[in-house]
Amino acid sequence: MTRAPRAATDAVAFVAEVRPKPHRGGWVHVPLPAAATRLLGGRRAAPVIFVAEGRAFRTTALPDGAGGLYVNFNREMRDAVGRGVGDPVACEVRPDRAPRVVAAPDDLARALRRHAAASAGFEAMPPSHRRHLVAYLEEAKADATRRRRVEKCVASCVRFAEERAARSERRGAAKPPTGGAASRAKPDARGR
């Protein structure tokens, strides 16, 4: 049940039903109306400020596979607004144009400065990945544990940078030639 949104220039207000995600265990979401999809620029993931029952959350609107968007409505959000599956919730969604900056703690920042690939990997990571790395590091109580975790975080950042570079290379290799003699060459008898 999604009621028609109110007109707004930079936000869309609506009432929607909290729904379970099919085939996703206990995941719960709120579908966004078509006006929100248009406001957010189409059928791709978009950073948003999602307001539910007057409580604001920074999150991401995700494509639903059918041309629309939805917002995951996690337990923290549900508990904060007192709503569950099947309940109507008064919502507002607007683009989140503020940068999503996650600062590295001092010890991790020093380690990243010593390793260029790790630094590039950390900067290339989505904010959610960076938040998870920082939270993992901050959970360490003993100094020895924290040092080991800094090393693991650096290795994770390097791995992320390498995987990203490999994906870029695969995408580049998969593209057909654009112009030049190679694009005009005729295939041989085997179609090559």
Side-chain angles (χ1 to χ4, degrees):
M1 166 187 109
T2 302
R3 285 192 224 151
R6 291 191 322 238
T9 56
D10 200 28
V12 175
F14 59 98
V15 175
E17 180 182 328
V18 178
R19 298 181 182 168
K21 284 289 289 168
H23 313 295
R24 290 296 219 159
W27 290 34
V28 178
H29 74 287
V30 173
L32 303 183
T37 301
R38 286 191 300 275
L39 172 70
L40 298 171
R43 300 176 295 190
R44 66 183 193 289
V48 297
I49 305 288
F50 178 71
V51 181
E53 299 295 334
R55 298 282 308 263
F57 304 94
R58 288 183 84 188
T59 187
T60 303
L62 301 166
D64 64 8
L69 297 172
Y70 69 91
V71 171
N72 281 323
F73 202 55
N74 63 32
R75 178 162 307 279
E76 176 189 339
M77 297 165 126
R78 293 191 308 270
D79 291 347
V81 301
R83 296 288 190 264
V85 174
D87 294 337
V89 60
C91 306
E92 180 180 288
V93 67
R94 61 182 176 268
D96 184 1
R97 295 188 178 95
R100 295 191 173 190
V101 178
V102 179
D106 292 339
D107 48 357
L108 179 59
R110 279 192 302 274
L112 292 174
R113 280 194 297 271
R114 288 191 301 265
H115 202 296
S119 181
F122 186 78
E123 291 303 316
M125 284 181 174
S128 61
H129 287 48
R130 285 183 262 160
R131 269 194 308 275
H132 287 290
L133 274 182
V134 170
Y136 169 71
L137 185 59
E138 296 292 335
E139 288 172 355
K141 293 183 174 91
D143 289 340
T145 304
R146 189 166 175 111
R147 282 192 298 274
R148 280 193 310 273
R149 288 188 179 188
V150 165
E151 291 172 14
K152 287 181 180 182
C153 288
V154 167
S156 180
C157 291
V158 169
R159 195 169 40 256
F160 185 87
E162 290 170 350
E163 289 170 359
R164 184 173 185 194
R167 279 192 307 271
S168 292
E169 286 177 21
R170 283 193 304 271
R171 273 191 231 121
K175 290 181 182 176
T178 55
S183 65
R184 292 187 298 271
K186 295 182 181 176
D188 64 9
R190 289 182 281 174
R192 296 183 198 174

